[in-house]
Amino acid sequence: MRCGPQNLKVSPIYSEQKVALMWEDNTFCLLIQDEFAYDVDVLSTDDMTAIDHGVVVVPRDRTGSIHYWRWASPLPLECAHNTFRVRGRYKDQLGISAPSEPQVFPKDRVVEVGSNVTFCCIVPPGVTFQQMTVSSYSNRKTITTQINSQTYAMTVHLHKPSPASGTDVTCNGAEYGACVYAGYPPRDTDLQCETRDLESVECHWRTERKTNSLANRRTLYKLLGRICWSASNRTANKYRCVHNVSIQAQERNWTLTAQNVLGTLELTDRADLTKRVHMFAPQELTSSRIHARNASLVWQWSTSQYNKLNIRCQISLRSNIHTDVKNYSGVGLNHALLQGLTPNLNYAVQVNCGTEEHFWKWSDSKYATFQTAGDIPDALDVWLWRMEDNQTIILWKTPQPSQSHGRILDYEVTWSLPSAGQQETNNSTVVVFPPGNSAAAELDPSREHVVMVTARNSHGRSLPASMVVLRRAPGEVTNVSRIVGRGGGFNLSWPAHPDSSCGYMVAWTPTFTRGTGDWKKVPPGVTHAFITENLTPGVRYSVCVYTCIGGAPQLLERREGYVEETMIPAKQITGLRWEHVGSDVRVSWTAIPPENRTAFVQGYIMYYRRLGAKDAGLNPVHLNVTTDDPEASSLTARGVHVGSYSFAVAALTSVGEGGGNAITLTVNPPSYKSIMAIAVSFSNVLILLLLTTIVAYKNWTCIKQKVYPPVPKPVLHCDWLTLMEDHGHSILNTRESHSSQKENVDVPQVFCNRVAASTEADREGAPFLPNLGANGYYQQQQQQPQRKAMETTTKADVSQSALLSFPPPPPSVFENLLYTAGMPEQNT
């Protein structure tokens, strides 16, 4: 068993992370007649532990030849210190030495996006490992595994493409590191080949995603096995490649190969390029022989092969009024005659060409411009309105640039009787200058007239536009029906007229400003039209349908309506007034003028509410009264209580209430109720006065005691009284104790009838006895009906000296006798 390996060689393949072993058999192996084997061991150089093991069997016929064994390392070879041992009868050892300075492996590896790559960091002896980082993945947590005392490994999932500079992996800072490139293999699609000059092939394709730079290893494209040096990115992700080849009328495969370091892709398009001719744009496009209504175009071809092709060209004519497209065909077509042009108009021309047979694509566009010559104006579009005062308004539409063929200088309007010659004096002609487009004529409504209008520019006068004005017929249509707008216009239809020879006319004008409308011609056989021109929401229009008989319009029907009803502005209802009838209130108003209505009035509504009422039962939030009579001019509120009210009136339309106005009024009680209230109040006052008088009469003594207290009566001696008896009535001036004013007081006569003395007491001076009546009671003599007038004197006039001259009466005579005028006498 001395057979074994010799000349053992170890070849690391760093880019593939593999190790290739190669050896030969020694001479002893030639003596072996049967097959034998080699044991291959992969050991860790640090501790000589086994990592992997393989067996290479050598068949009998392979003895003496070279043997191979390849091993894939789980780590970059730069990171792994491995020893390889091949044993037959003896062992031979070879290994990979560790680097002398810190390094990161693998370096410049190119991998596909989505791959897991293990990086290792080898630090030199005595250097402490710190960390490993990956650019563009710094926010992701990574795990580092120690392989041995100097080697550390980290696995990264590269889930996104690397930037153009690659993805950097560093160890212990930025001074040590490696770069890896993550990208995609080729992924191109939609290969399509064609020819432009019948002498070369041009292919186009697109890529669904960029492969990235992949360490400056761009994708290499080959068309038919030839490198596409002309491949370029025309637009985003679209490429083209051109090769000169011989184009033959047969189908063949056109193959494109795309290759980069991660893979190869092959695309094929099978086609006959003689049926895929994408022509170049015409060259030297010019216009010639330009007239008012036609012009010629001429161009050249840059490829002589086109002169043999049946070519179709599409010419687009654009102006400021319309766009038209014309098609032309011919072998080697290089010119075109444009007809039906509009005089005095600027045109922009666009020319695109392609093959007539086996059409593939339009060529690139070529542009040119020109202006046609001028011409006389086209005949005008004329209409007229007959007014109520026998005046006729003749109208015509201002010619558009496509109709005027130059600047309009003036308009000529002529009207005459049909039987009158042009030289007769009853013809009338007026000239109108722009921007005018109407003329007024006094036409006899009982006779027919012919109206003609022409326009003139620098090239001449247009053909006359004429219209026959019929005399007013007694049975002319006068009834007006209502029409409702839809979709921004009026949709009309009418019954066909058997005598219509030149179609119909639809004319419309604002109802209250006649003469400023528009009209539209309808060809014969058509009995409907949709009009939208010159219509304004909220304006009432009169729409008339005419039939054309012998060039004269005859009215068929008349309608009125709004293209769109709008809310009537506020306060269009005016002249609010009211009257109180019994317990009702009737509010009247002046109707909205028709010209101020922006919608059809369908009726009216009146709201009213009481102002400042506290009783909720008499103060609803709102009460209303309505009517569906559009001609109504008043509404009545029933059972209105006395008080102040606010009344508001509004018109009812299809778009809501509008035109409203309000009035504030006060409802007073009726007149007979006022009279009754006054009578009741006067009666109450009389009853109150009567009650007051009765109460005062019954309590007069108390009232007088409080208001007019009694004055004390003076004490008189009997002798003085006797003296006064002799002199009759006396007048005494006395002073009130409670007032500074002087009053005259009648002093009643007091008669002292002395009784004859019969007893001793009488002789000694019996006391004074009052006068006794027959019944023995005291009687005071009634006051005389007539009294002497008291003398008006001052305080000093009161004769005190006379009073003092009398002797004082006896104490028993009328001690403190009181006198009160008008009061009942008291017995003492």
Side-chain angles (χ1 to χ4, degrees):
M1 295 300 298
R2 296 177 63 182
C3 174
Q6 66 179 4
N7 300 326
L8 178 63
K9 294 182 180 180
V10 178
S11 301
I13 306 174
Y14 293 101
S15 61
E16 298 181 9
Q17 204 166 305
K18 295 180 180 179
V19 177
L21 275 67
M22 183 181 66
W23 68 89
E24 299 176 357
D25 299 329
N26 60 17
T27 57
F28 294 97
C29 295
L30 298 175
L31 301 176
I32 300 175
Q33 300 297 321
D34 298 323
E35 64 180 19
F36 62 96
Y38 288 100
D39 293 325
V40 182
D41 296 319
V42 181
L43 308 174
S44 175
T45 304
D46 294 334
D47 52 7
M48 297 304 292
T49 58
I51 298 176
D52 205 350
H53 173 76
V55 177
V56 178
V57 178
V58 181
R60 177 73 183 79
D61 57 350
R62 296 291 297 171
T63 303
S65 64
I66 300 176
H67 307 295
Y68 301 94
W69 186 76
R70 181 171 291 188
W71 175 72
S73 173
L75 297 175
L77 297 181
E78 298 85 350
C79 304
H81 302 166
N82 300 319
T83 298
F84 298 89
R85 182 172 60 190
V86 181
R87 295 181 300 174
R89 296 191 63 178
Y90 66 93
K91 58 184 178 179
D92 191 5
Q93 298 181 354
L94 292 176
I96 301 174
S97 60
S100 60
E101 60 182 13
Q103 294 188 25
V104 177
F105 300 97
K107 295 182 181 294
D108 298 332
R109 176 72 60 84
V110 179
V111 298
E112 188 174 354
V113 174
S115 300
N116 292 325
V117 180
T118 301
F119 298 92
C120 68
C121 175
I122 303 174
V123 296
V127 177
T128 303
F129 172 80
Q130 298 177 1
Q131 64 175 355
M132 296 179 68
T133 57
V134 182
S135 64
S136 304
Y137 294 87
S138 58
N139 59 343
R140 302 187 66 182
K141 183 178 181 181
T142 57
I143 300 176
T144 304
T145 303
Q146 184 175 3
I147 304 301
N148 52 49
S149 60
Q150 294 178 304
T151 305
Y152 298 85
M154 176 183 64
T155 301
V156 180
H157 177 67
L158 300 175
H159 66 279
K160 60 182 179 180
S162 301
S165 59
T167 300
D168 296 325
V169 181
T170 58
C171 177
N172 287 3
E175 60 271 14
Y176 305 114
C179 188
V180 64
Y181 296 88
Y184 298 99
R187 194 171 180 179
D188 298 276
T189 185
D190 296 341
L191 177 66
Q192 189 178 82
C193 298
E194 61 188 15
T195 183
R196 307 207 67 176
D197 54 7
L198 295 172
E199 296 177 347
S200 63
V201 59
E202 180 176 314
C203 295
H204 302 266
W205 67 93
R206 65 186 182 88
T207 179
E208 294 184 357
R209 62 189 180 189
K210 294 182 178 180
T211 59
N212 285 37
S213 62
L214 298 178
N216 296 323
R217 300 181 181 93
R218 296 182 181 275
T219 301
L220 180 64
Y221 293 99
K222 293 181 180 180
L223 181 61
L224 300 177
R226 298 162 56 185
I227 297 176
C228 292
W229 300 110
S230 61
S232 60
N233 187 359
R234 299 183 62 188
T235 57
N237 299 334
K238 291 186 178 182
Y239 296 83
R240 64 185 288 268
C241 181
V242 180
H243 280 327
N244 292 330
V245 295
S246 176
I247 305 300
Q248 299 179 359
Q250 64 179 10
E251 287 190 356
R252 59 168 294 182
N253 290 332
W254 306 93
T255 303
L256 177 74
T257 302
Q259 183 180 10
N260 64 13
V261 296
L262 295 177
T264 302
L265 177 66
E266 188 175 275
L267 300 175
T268 300
D269 182 25
R270 185 173 181 81
D272 179 0
L273 295 189
T274 60
K275 299 179 181 179
R276 291 186 177 183
V277 180
H278 183 193
M279 300 182 65
F280 291 111
Q283 303 296 316
E284 301 178 9
L285 178 64
T286 58
S287 56
S288 62
R289 297 190 299 274
I290 301 174
H291 302 286
R293 301 182 186 274
N294 58 72
S296 295
L297 291 177
V298 180
W299 61 87
Q300 301 295 328
W301 296 114
S302 60
T303 301
S304 60
Q305 296 287 348
Y306 291 174
N307 296 327
K308 304 175 184 179
L309 297 177
N310 189 6
I311 299 174
R312 177 175 64 180
C313 289
Q314 185 181 78
I315 300 177
S316 176
L317 296 171
R318 293 183 177 86
S319 65
N320 57 354
I321 59 175
H322 67 276
T323 298
D324 192 13
V325 177
K326 301 178 181 294
N327 293 313
Y328 301 85
S329 300
V331 177
L333 183 67
N334 60 358
H335 67 279
L337 177 63
L338 307 177
Q339 294 179 324
L341 303 180
T342 302
N344 193 45
L345 197 62
N346 291 320
Y347 283 94
V349 181
Q350 176 183 338
V351 181
N352 302 90
C353 297
T355 55
E356 179 71 17
E357 187 180 5
H358 308 301
F359 177 80
W360 173 241
K361 291 179 181 178
W362 288 115
S363 69
D364 295 334
S365 299
K366 192 67 176 180
Y367 299 92
T369 59
F370 65 89
Q371 182 180 7
T372 54
D375 200 355
I376 63 173
D378 293 342
L380 298 174
D381 189 358
V382 180
W383 188 247
L384 54 87
W385 291 108
R386 179 180 288 173
M387 311 303 286
E388 299 296 336
D389 54 356
N390 295 335
Q391 188 179 53
T392 300
I393 304 299
I394 304 169
L395 299 138
W396 58 90
K397 294 184 179 180
T398 302
Q400 299 298 319
S402 60
Q403 301 168 330
S404 63
H405 308 156
R407 187 173 66 87
I408 298 297
L409 301 178
D410 60 53
Y411 303 97
E412 186 176 270
V413 184
T414 303
W415 58 90
S416 62
L417 299 176
S419 60
Q422 295 183 357
Q423 303 299 326
E424 295 186 14
T425 58
N426 59 353
N427 291 354
S428 299
T429 301
V430 296
V431 176
V432 179
F433 296 95
N437 64 342
S438 64
E442 295 286 345
L443 303 181
D444 187 356
S446 64
R447 306 184 66 180
E448 295 184 1
H449 295 79
V450 177
V451 177
M452 293 186 298
V453 185
T454 59
R456 183 175 67 90
N457 63 10
S458 59
H459 298 278
R461 188 169 293 280
S462 69
L463 296 175
S466 62
M467 179 174 289
V468 178
V469 184
L470 299 177
R471 60 178 178 269
R472 183 170 294 172
E476 189 174 274
V477 177
T478 57
N479 60 315
V480 179
S481 60
R482 182 174 296 186
I483 185 172
V484 179
R486 291 289 186 273
F490 292 114
N491 195 1
L492 299 167
S493 62
W494 56 88
H497 195 280
D499 299 330
S500 178
S501 59
C502 48
Y504 300 91
M505 299 283 288
V506 179
W508 60 97
T509 181
T511 303
F512 307 106
T513 54
R514 296 291 294 273
T516 60
D518 204 347
W519 60 93
K520 183 178 183 179
K521 294 181 179 179
V522 181
V526 179
T527 58
H528 58 85
F530 184 70
I531 57 176
T532 59
E533 297 84 1
N534 301 323
L535 296 175
T536 304
V539 177
R540 186 185 298 185
Y541 288 91
S542 295
V543 184
C544 298
V545 179
Y546 298 84
T547 181
C548 181
I549 302 176
Q554 292 185 359
L555 181 63
L556 294 180
E557 58 183 53
R558 180 183 291 116
R559 306 180 187 179
E560 285 187 4
Y562 298 87
V563 66
E564 181 183 347
E565 292 185 284
T566 60
M567 187 71 68
I568 300 178
K571 297 186 179 181
Q572 294 299 313
I573 298 176
T574 58
L576 288 179
R577 53 198 178 276
W578 67 283
E579 59 179 330
H580 190 195
V581 181
S583 61
D584 303 334
V585 172
R586 182 171 60 199
V587 177
S588 305
W589 59 85
T590 301
I592 303 174
E595 61 271 15
N596 294 347
R597 300 181 184 183
T598 59
F600 285 113
V601 175
Q602 301 175 353
Y604 292 90
I605 185 169
M606 180 176 69
Y607 296 96
Y608 62 99
R609 64 186 181 90
R610 190 173 180 183
L611 302 177
K614 297 181 180 180
D615 188 355
L618 299 177
N619 184 30
V621 175
H622 270 98
L623 297 175
N624 64 76
V625 183
T626 60
T627 178
D628 56 1
D629 181 10
E631 304 300 328
S633 60
S634 65
L635 283 173
T636 301
R638 306 292 182 183
V640 180
H641 298 280
V642 175
S644 296
Y645 290 85
S646 174
F647 280 76
V649 181
L652 299 176
T653 67
S654 62
V655 293
E657 302 172 7
N661 210 339
I663 186 175
T664 301
L665 54 90
T666 300
V667 177
N668 295 317
S671 58
Y672 73 90
K673 291 185 178 181
S674 300
I675 296 174
M676 289 182 62
I678 294 173
V680 170
S681 300
F682 186 71
S683 300
N684 293 336
V685 171
L686 291 179
I687 293 173
L688 181 60
L689 290 176
L690 181 60
L691 292 176
T692 303
T693 303
I694 294 173
V695 171
Y697 179 77
K698 290 185 176 182
N699 298 275
W700 177 250
T701 303
C702 180
I703 292 173
K704 189 171 184 180
Q705 180 68 23
K706 297 294 184 180
V707 176
Y708 198 91
V711 178
K713 189 176 181 181
V715 178
L716 302 177
H717 294 281
C718 185
D719 295 338
W720 179 79
L721 292 176
T722 304
L723 178 63
M724 294 301 295
E725 182 181 358
D726 297 335
H727 292 82
H729 292 287
S730 300
I731 295 176
L732 175 65
N733 286 334
T734 182
R735 182 188 306 170
E736 285 187 344
S737 61
H738 62 279
S739 175
S740 60
Q741 298 178 357
K742 300 177 180 180
E743 294 184 0
N744 297 325
V745 181
D746 283 341
V747 179
Q749 294 182 1
V750 181
F751 298 93
C752 296
N753 296 322
R754 190 179 298 273
V755 181
S758 57
T759 60
E760 184 178 356
D762 293 334
R763 291 191 298 267
E764 295 177 356
F768 177 78
L769 296 177
N771 187 19
L772 299 177
N775 51 7
Y777 289 96
Y778 165 78
Q779 292 183 354
Q780 181 183 8
Q781 187 178 348
Q782 297 293 326
Q783 188 176 358
Q784 297 297 325
Q786 296 181 355
R787 301 179 179 178
K788 288 185 179 181
M790 297 178 63
E791 296 179 0
T792 302
T793 59
T794 60
K795 295 180 180 182
D797 296 331
V798 179
S799 179
Q800 297 181 359
S801 58
L803 295 176
L804 297 175
S805 62
F806 293 99
S812 60
V813 178
F814 292 94
E815 184 176 352
N816 196 18
L817 179 63
L818 295 178
Y819 168 78
T820 303
M823 296 294 295
E825 295 180 355
Q826 297 180 359
N827 297 327
T828 55

